[in-house]
């Protein structure tokens, strides 16, 4: 697990537990294995909650993007310091 994804098996288990406990995933026991699946209802609830803030974030993130692009253009136009 660590070699492929850079995270330990106990860390994955903890993340899956948090997802399950908060309604984002279901677990099904199959012998010694635990099979996880996403719960669309949990994702919908999170999306509905986020939707209240999207307009607020979108405008400000667009403004931030504009300022970052302006900064890049300014740095490109300035000669490099010796």
């Amino acid at each position: 697990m660590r070699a492929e994804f850079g995270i330990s098996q106990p860390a994955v288990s903890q993340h899956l537990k948090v997802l399950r406990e908060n309604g984002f995933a279901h677990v099904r026991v199959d012998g010694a294995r635990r099979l996880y699946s996403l719960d669309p209802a949990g994702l919908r609830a999170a999306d509905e909650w986020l939707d209240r803030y999207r307009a607020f974030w979108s405008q400000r993130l667009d403004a931030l993007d504009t300022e970052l692009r302006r900064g890049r253009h300014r740095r490109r136009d300035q000669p490099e310091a010796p």
Side-chain angles (χ1 to χ4, degrees), residues 2-80:
R2 185 180 300 275
E4 188 172 353
F5 299 108
I7 187 170
S8 68
Q9 190 279 325
V12 170
S13 293
Q14 185 62 36
H15 282 80
L16 290 171
K17 178 183 174 188
V18 168
L19 291 171
R20 188 183 72 246
E21 289 177 348
N22 289 284
F24 292 101
H26 291 291
V27 65
R28 180 172 56 92
V29 177
D30 181 24
R33 299 183 313 169
R34 306 277 184 277
L35 303 174
Y36 285 82
S37 60
L38 290 176
D39 182 350
L43 295 173
R44 266 192 302 279
D47 187 54
E48 288 169 7
W49 181 84
L50 287 168
D51 200 41
R52 292 184 275 173
Y53 303 98
R54 277 197 180 94
F56 173 79
W57 289 343
S58 294
Q59 293 169 351
R60 281 153 180 81
L61 290 173
D62 288 344
L64 175 61
D65 181 56
T66 300
E67 291 304 315
L68 291 172
R69 288 174 190 269
R70 284 181 185 156
R72 280 192 215 122
H73 290 302
R74 284 187 199 122
R75 283 194 303 270
R76 250 188 270 148
D77 293 342
Q78 292 176 354
E80 291 191 27

